[in-house]
Amino acid sequence: MKASRIRHGDESVMAPLNARRLRIHAVHEAVVFLRSDSPVGRAEGLGTQTRVTVRSGAREIIATLYQVDGEGLGLNEAGLSESAWHQLGLHDGDTVSIRHQRPLDSHSALRRRIFGHRLDDTSLGMVIGDIAAGRYSDVHIGSFLTACTTLPLDLDETCGLTRAMVDTGIRLDWPASMVLDKHCVGGLPGNRTTPLVVAIVAAHGLTIPKTSSRAITSPAGTADTMETLAPVNLPIADIRKVVEREGGCVVWGGSMQLSPADDVMIRVQRSLDLENDGQMVASILSKKVAAGATHLVVDIPVGPTAKVRSAPAADHLQGLLESVAGSFGIRAVILRTDGRQPVGRGIGPALEARDLLSILGNQRHAPADLRERSCRLAGILLEMGGKAAAGAGYETALRTLADGRAWKKFVAICEAQGGMTEPPVAPLRQVLRAPEAGRVCGIDNRRLARLAKLAGAPENASAGIDMHVRLDDAVEDDQPLCTIHAESKGELEYALAYAEGNPDIIAIDPL
Amino acid sequence: MKASRIRHGDESVMAPLNARRLRIHAVHEAVVFLRSDSPVGRAEGLGTQTRVTVRSGAREIIATLYQVDGEGLGLNEAGLSESAWHQLGLHDGDTVSIRHQRPLDSHSALRRRIFGHRLDDTSLGMVIGDIAAGRYSDVHIGSFLTACTTLPLDLDETCGLTRAMVDTGIRLDWPASMVLDKHCVGGLPGNRTTPLVVAIVAAHGLTIPKTSSRAITSPAGTADTMETLAPVNLPIADIRKVVEREGGCVVWGGSMQLSPADDVMIRVQRSLDLENDGQMVASILSKKVAAGATHLVVDIPVGPTAKVRSAPAADHLQGLLESVAGSFGIRAVILRTDGRQPVGRGIGPALEARDLLSILGNQRHAPADLRERSCRLAGILLEMGGKAAAGAGYETALRTLADGRAWKKFVAICEAQGGMTEPPVAPLRQVLRAPEAGRVCGIDNRRLARLAKLAGAPENASAGIDMHVRLDDAVEDDQPLCTIHAESKGELEYALAYAEGNPDIIAIDPL
């Protein structure tokens, strides 16, 4: 089949439009607005919510088109959302051209995966490459994530996905031959061990350049918590200086182009409140491979309402993590921990930061559970790094906290990252109390996390929950169980309404 | 756990905003714009792309919030997209209140389904109810559809989904005790039998009130094609009058609130280019149950590039269709047809309408394959309806065409629907030719449909493909194989680029 094609110069098809910055914030997708009677829209056959290619000079982005009536926009203008404006590097007076998004070859791979066929490395590379380049709509990304959950990714696919994700970004390397790293699969509110582990390990002269994420489905990610104590959004050159000087850092990895496809997918995962093992392993390990890690400890909390709910589920995740890490030459040690209840007292960025400071400062009422977990994880890394004999890592870590070396190192890291700050305090609080005397017989991590999120965490750093009881504690009638912290009346109301509807988030077995 | 809740009056939390109509067309989702420094946004903790509840008086919708900087919008204004404005029934000067979307109970059912657990009728009812009410984002709808494809819906789920979809809308009833209906599962370009079947069956005095859909993933739905011949968007009262007078109609079912959740899901299916058996059966049968059908013939084209590709796939679909139809008391007969190539000559609304008119008018070059299929389907209904002896339906249908009764009935139906019109003709055309002499050895329905869609079908009614050859035809070098019809230069270019990249859509076996 051949076409005696009439060639049009590119410009005749893509008449330029005057770009207009609309200062509309559309986080997930670039958005462009056109008059519904625009001659370009008509010539290109562009309807509302068409996916389009917007080009300016050599730069090109995919955006979603909305049509607008009336005088707000000129006939020869294209209105651009903030992310579209910045991605294209536009200035006032620039022009853009708009046409249909080209068909994506990777969509047929996506379609095969949706229908239950496995994808090979090449197909996964195409899908992930298009996702990283912003060519997928959120609906398509969500569909890919769902298909990989309903028919779980197998080992080959997880390796392929990890490699594809690494390939979309940059890879760091470090002068040290041994680069340590630490990860927690999450799901346990308040389990903020990372800053402590980094401080302890770096205090021994080991290299631990920790890049952390913000919350996906939790009320706080390590980067959210750390940000209440020091800047975490550093350019790579500055991170290198911090690590060179202090051996460790705790920074946000999201702006570093380490596995950038992961960041795009995480936004959609967040809106679907969805994670699966293969995706989780690829997300964790693609970041670690890209960050140049050689040795890794992974905390897997196990409990009925944690992310990993049973020993068999932990077995599956652990097997996948070890196999995939091994195939990338990373030595990974997995530590399973008690996931039945939150760790420490605070849930939410600033409240968790307060717990960290109390442990580093050896305060009398510092949460013992958070200290113990951090030292177990740090101990494994100290042993891997040859700073403690086998079996002696935990004690070494505890000593490093007790004698103030960890505190000194943590302050030095914060200063190197741009200066230590005081975590904010929420203006609004509300105590939730025991409805009767009894014993705390259950704490629902998931609904507790939801409660903290409804209160505004992590977007509002001071928002969250402060826990006053732990499992098996005896309580009096009306004794405070926890306190909701919020920055706005609307969010406090919203959290309270949820707490009223879920009185068993902290369950009391009556006397 | 109890909260000594400080109650705020609803108004203190939900400060009213002045509603401003922005005349932005967002087809899928209602959109609301707020200044990023809006005090209400701050008090409610609303970030960009938050899902919010917008209320005006007793009406309430779910919308996606975008934040806007600068002077375009006042501090106490909420800008609303057209669909949000209309759904709320707003007038200039009205106020609205905005707050976070309440958590949806059905999201945990969705989550269970994504993780591979089956849903019962109650859970499906919750999910579908929320989808029909517009409470799901497109990402969530896409995720539900994907999960039901990757782990296919089983019989129980398909029945549950069908019932849930029927329950979201209205149900029609008709004076006749026997109400005939017809459906094609699609996937075959140009297979536009419905208007012919309705004309033939109604000509015999039977009742066939046909509500049709617009295209989902094809270049034309029956409603799109019929719309080039007569109005199809009629209020129910008018449809009743048409059916009362003529026994039959061919109208668009989308505005009738028959299984409205289906319409919402179809929009997302369309953007994902996705259909699965269970979803397809629920979509078909929920419309039929809601439309009051008692007897149904279903055309399943089978071919390597049709929607149903093999006999086993057809068996599965047929089994599911018959079982689910039976459980709703509908007698369904399935007819499997040749799905190896397009039917008729035209692909796209107006080009297909032209084929219909040539058959109804007994024109000499009218496409024989389309006539034959229509008469086989109509024959089954004539036999079901007692208007032809068993085995004699096909001949009876052919006679009804040949003697002009079908033509007369079709014209009468068009007039009753609001007046017969002439299908439009595309201003731009481009012939695709054989690259060498040989024999047509393959026609790829899917890519041909894609080509027609790239040319602008069905949004542009005159756009599409006109086929000049069929399978096994001998062709000369440079002989026309098909002609692309388009309404805009951009779309013609786009289709041509696709044709150049896919020269084997119509494959020639050289001599």
Side-chain angles (χ1 to χ4, degrees):
Chain A
M1 204 173 79
K2 70 185 179 186
S4 326
R5 184 172 177 195
I6 310 152
R7 296 222 168 255
H8 303 282
D10 217 30
E11 284 317 298
S12 78
V13 180
M14 301 177 66
L17 292 157
N18 300 316
R20 175 136 158 240
R21 185 173 181 176
L22 292 184
R23 299 187 184 278
I24 286 172
H25 302 274
V27 180
H28 295 206
E29 297 180 323
V31 174
V32 58
F33 295 85
L34 264 196
R35 278 265 290 264
S36 38
D37 52 350
S38 150
V40 169
R42 170 116 209 97
E44 286 285 321
L46 303 172
T48 199
Q49 292 200 343
T50 312
R51 296 280 288 171
V52 294
T53 300
V54 187
R55 195 195 288 176
S56 171
R59 294 206 199 183
E60 199 176 89
I61 60 163
I62 307 290
T64 300
L65 177 82
Y66 285 84
Q67 291 185 321
V68 187
D69 283 344
E71 346 65 56
L73 212 56
L75 258 185
N76 290 309
E77 279 186 328
L80 294 114
S81 69
E82 284 298 279
S83 65
W85 185 268
H86 291 299
Q87 283 175 55
L88 285 167
L90 292 173
H91 298 93
D92 289 327
D94 284 351
T95 62
V96 294
S97 53
I98 300 183
R99 62 183 313 171
H100 275 282
Q101 181 183 8
R102 291 175 193 290
L104 295 176
D105 289 336
S106 77
H107 273 172
S108 66
L110 168 61
R111 199 181 152 78
R112 286 202 308 280
R113 190 60 178 77
I114 292 171
F115 277 94
H117 303 285
R118 301 280 175 193
L119 296 186
D120 61 16
D121 285 14
T122 311
S123 297
L124 284 167
M126 283 165 53
V127 171
I128 297 302
D130 281 340
I131 288 177
R135 297 191 196 103
Y136 269 41
S137 70
D138 286 358
V139 173
H140 284 85
I141 296 170
S143 180
F144 176 69
L145 295 171
T146 301
C148 295
T149 306
T150 307
L151 174 73
L153 293 160
D154 64 17
L155 177 59
D156 282 349
E157 283 186 318
T158 306
C159 284
L161 183 62
T162 307
R163 197 174 310 276
M165 286 162 74
V166 171
D167 288 348
T168 60
I170 63 156
R171 287 179 75 153
L172 301 179
D173 48 53
W174 305 95
S177 63
M178 173 181 276
V179 178
L180 303 172
D181 212 328
K182 177 265 163 194
H183 193 85
C184 175
V185 304
L188 209 51
N191 193 12
R192 198 58 53 217
T193 57
T194 296
L196 300 173
V197 171
V198 168
I200 294 167
V201 170
H204 286 270
L206 293 169
T207 300
I208 182 163
K210 185 77 186 81
T211 57
S212 292
S213 61
R214 299 193 185 277
I216 301 177
T217 58
S218 72
T222 294
D224 300 313
T225 298
M226 189 67 186
E227 197 168 36
T228 68
L229 294 165
V232 295
N233 190 359
L234 275 65
I236 292 180
D238 291 6
I239 294 172
R240 286 196 185 281
K241 277 183 217 150
V242 174
V243 175
E244 203 173 297
R245 208 171 94 183
E246 303 298 340
C249 66
V250 184
V251 296
W252 178 49
S255 66
M256 294 174 65
Q257 296 291 307
L258 301 175
S259 183
D262 187 45
D263 303 330
V264 178
M265 288 191 281
I266 275 175
R267 286 201 302 256
V268 180
Q269 261 177 272
R270 195 170 181 162
S271 94
L272 284 171
D273 200 357
L274 185 69
E275 259 186 334
N276 64 68
D277 278 7
Q279 190 72 39
M280 203 190 304
V281 167
S283 169
I284 295 168
L285 291 178
S286 66
K287 295 281 192 206
K288 302 306 174 197
V289 172
T294 60
H295 293 70
L296 175 65
V297 63
V298 181
D299 176 6
I300 303 186
V302 184
T305 59
K307 196 174 281 179
V308 178
R309 301 190 181 193
S310 65
D315 290 344
H316 182 257
L317 181 60
Q318 173 161 356
L320 206 52
L321 265 169
E322 286 171 347
S323 304
V324 178
S327 82
F328 286 92
I330 293 178
R331 202 186 138 209
V333 173
I334 313 298
L335 182 69
R336 294 192 200 183
T337 55
D338 178 3
R340 291 176 305 147
Q341 60 181 327
V343 182
R345 298 206 181 90
I347 300 169
L351 292 166
E352 294 173 10
R354 181 207 57 193
D355 284 354
L356 295 179
L357 295 178
S358 73
I359 292 171
L360 287 162
N362 291 310
Q363 289 173 22
R364 213 165 51 129
H365 298 294
D369 59 335
L370 179 58
R371 177 170 49 220
E372 190 219 310
R373 296 169 89 96
S374 303
C375 287
R376 285 174 66 202
L377 292 161
I380 292 171
L381 291 174
L382 291 175
E383 292 175 23
M384 276 180 166
K387 299 299 179 183
Y394 176 65
E395 292 299 329
T396 308
L398 278 178
R399 271 200 311 277
T400 315
L401 274 177
D403 64 15
R405 274 179 293 162
W407 167 252
K408 213 176 124 194
K409 175 55 77 176
F410 186 75
V411 172
I413 289 172
C414 288
E415 291 303 330
Q417 286 185 201
M420 199 164 177
T421 52
E422 191 88 17
V425 175
L428 304 175
R429 302 181 190 190
Q430 181 72 41
V431 175
L432 303 182
R433 295 171 182 280
E436 55 193 330
R439 196 185 52 83
V440 178
C441 61
I443 297 179
D444 188 324
N445 291 318
R446 291 192 153 263
R447 286 188 290 160
L448 201 58
R450 170 137 217 169
L451 187 64
K453 289 197 289 183
L454 292 176
E459 281 78 9
N460 300 341
S462 73
I465 310 291
D466 205 13
M467 298 293 293
H468 307 311
V469 294
R470 295 180 53 73
L471 275 178
D472 297 325
D473 280 2
V475 293
E476 309 280 303
D477 180 24
D478 217 40
Q479 180 177 326
L481 300 176
C482 67
T483 302
I484 301 175
H485 290 232
E487 292 187 6
S488 80
K489 225 163 51 171
E491 284 157 317
L492 184 60
E493 270 291 312
Y494 203 53
L496 284 171
Y498 186 74
E500 281 180 3
N502 293 270
D504 59 338
I505 294 179
I506 300 174
I508 308 295
D509 194 10
L511 280 179
Chain B
M1 202 173 81
K2 70 183 179 187
S4 327
R5 187 173 176 194
I6 310 154
R7 293 225 168 252
H8 303 281
D10 218 30
E11 284 317 300
S12 78
V13 180
M14 300 175 65
L17 293 156
N18 300 316
R20 172 131 163 247
R21 184 173 181 175
L22 292 183
R23 298 188 183 276
I24 286 173
H25 302 273
V27 180
H28 294 205
E29 297 179 324
V31 174
V32 58
F33 295 84
L34 264 196
R35 278 266 289 266
S36 39
D37 51 351
S38 150
V40 169
R42 172 117 208 98
E44 286 285 320
L46 302 172
T48 199
Q49 292 200 345
T50 310
R51 297 278 289 171
V52 294
T53 300
V54 186
R55 195 195 290 175
S56 171
R59 295 205 199 185
E60 199 177 87
I61 61 163
I62 306 290
T64 301
L65 177 83
Y66 285 85
Q67 290 185 323
V68 187
D69 283 345
E71 346 65 53
L73 213 56
L75 259 185
N76 289 310
E77 279 186 330
L80 293 113
S81 69
E82 284 298 279
S83 65
W85 186 268
H86 291 299
Q87 284 175 54
L88 285 169
L90 292 173
H91 298 94
D92 288 327
D94 284 351
T95 62
V96 295
S97 54
I98 299 183
R99 63 184 313 173
H100 275 283
Q101 181 184 5
R102 291 176 194 287
L104 294 176
D105 289 336
S106 77
H107 274 173
S108 67
L110 168 62
R111 198 182 154 79
R112 287 203 308 280
R113 190 61 178 76
I114 292 172
F115 276 94
H117 303 285
R118 301 280 175 195
L119 296 186
D120 61 15
D121 285 12
T122 310
S123 297
L124 285 165
M126 283 165 53
V127 170
I128 297 303
D130 281 340
I131 288 177
R135 298 190 195 104
Y136 269 43
S137 71
D138 285 358
V139 173
H140 284 85
I141 295 170
S143 182
F144 176 68
L145 294 171
T146 301
C148 296
T149 306
T150 307
L151 174 73
L153 293 160
D154 64 17
L155 177 58
D156 283 348
E157 283 185 319
T158 306
C159 284
L161 183 62
T162 306
R163 196 174 311 277
M165 285 162 74
V166 170
D167 288 346
T168 60
I170 64 154
R171 287 180 77 154
L172 301 180
D173 48 55
W174 304 95
S177 64
M178 172 181 278
V179 179
L180 303 171
D181 213 329
K182 178 263 162 192
H183 192 86
C184 175
V185 304
L188 209 49
N191 193 12
R192 198 59 54 219
T193 56
T194 295
L196 300 174
V197 171
V198 168
I200 294 167
V201 170
H204 286 269
L206 293 169
T207 300
I208 182 162
K210 184 78 185 79
T211 56
S212 292
S213 62
R214 299 192 183 277
I216 302 176
T217 58
S218 74
T222 294
D224 301 314
T225 297
M226 188 68 187
E227 197 169 36
T228 69
L229 295 164
V232 295
N233 191 359
L234 275 65
I236 291 178
D238 291 6
I239 294 172
R240 285 196 185 282
K241 276 183 219 152
V242 174
V243 175
E244 203 172 300
R245 208 170 93 184
E246 302 299 339
C249 65
V250 184
V251 297
W252 177 50
S255 66
M256 296 173 62
Q257 296 290 310
L258 302 175
S259 184
D262 188 46
D263 302 332
V264 178
M265 287 192 282
I266 274 176
R267 287 201 300 256
V268 180
Q269 260 177 273
R270 195 171 183 161
S271 94
L272 284 171
D273 200 359
L274 186 69
E275 259 186 335
N276 65 68
D277 278 6
Q279 190 71 39
M280 203 189 307
V281 167
S283 169
I284 295 168
L285 291 178
S286 66
K287 295 282 192 206
K288 303 305 174 199
V289 172
T294 60
H295 292 71
L296 175 65
V297 62
V298 180
D299 176 8
I300 303 186
V302 184
T305 59
K307 196 175 279 178
V308 178
R309 301 190 181 195
S310 65
D315 290 344
H316 181 257
L317 182 59
Q318 173 161 356
L320 206 52
L321 265 170
E322 287 171 347
S323 304
V324 178
S327 83
F328 286 93
I330 293 178
R331 199 183 141 213
V333 173
I334 313 298
L335 181 69
R336 293 192 200 183
T337 56
D338 178 3
R340 289 176 308 147
Q341 60 182 328
V343 181
R345 299 208 180 90
I347 301 169
L351 292 166
E352 294 173 9
R354 183 208 56 193
D355 285 354
L356 296 178
L357 294 178
S358 73
I359 292 171
L360 287 164
N362 291 310
Q363 287 174 23
R364 209 164 53 129
H365 297 296
D369 59 334
L370 179 58
R371 178 170 46 220
E372 191 218 310
R373 295 169 91 97
S374 303
C375 287
R376 286 174 64 201
L377 292 162
I380 291 171
L381 291 175
L382 291 176
E383 292 176 22
M384 277 180 165
K387 299 297 178 183
Y394 176 63
E395 292 299 330
T396 307
L398 278 178
R399 270 200 311 279
T400 315
L401 274 177
D403 64 15
R405 273 179 292 164
W407 168 251
K408 214 177 121 195
K409 178 53 78 178
F410 186 75
V411 172
I413 289 172
C414 287
E415 292 303 330
Q417 287 186 198
M420 197 163 177
T421 52
E422 190 88 15
V425 175
L428 303 175
R429 300 178 193 195
Q430 182 72 41
V431 175
L432 302 182
R433 294 171 183 279
E436 57 192 329
R439 196 186 51 84
V440 178
C441 61
I443 297 178
D444 188 322
N445 291 318
R446 291 192 154 262
R447 285 187 291 160
L448 201 57
R450 171 137 214 168
L451 188 64
K453 288 195 290 181
L454 292 177
E459 282 79 7
N460 301 341
S462 74
I465 312 290
D466 205 13
M467 298 293 292
H468 308 311
V469 294
R470 295 180 52 75
L471 274 179
D472 297 324
D473 281 2
V475 294
E476 308 281 304
D477 180 23
D478 218 39
Q479 181 177 326
L481 300 177
C482 67
T483 302
I484 301 175
H485 291 230
E487 292 187 7
S488 80
K489 226 162 50 168
E491 283 157 319
L492 184 60
E493 270 291 311
Y494 203 52
L496 284 170
Y498 186 73
E500 281 180 3
N502 293 271
D504 59 337
I505 293 179
I506 301 175
I508 307 295
D509 194 9
L511 280 179

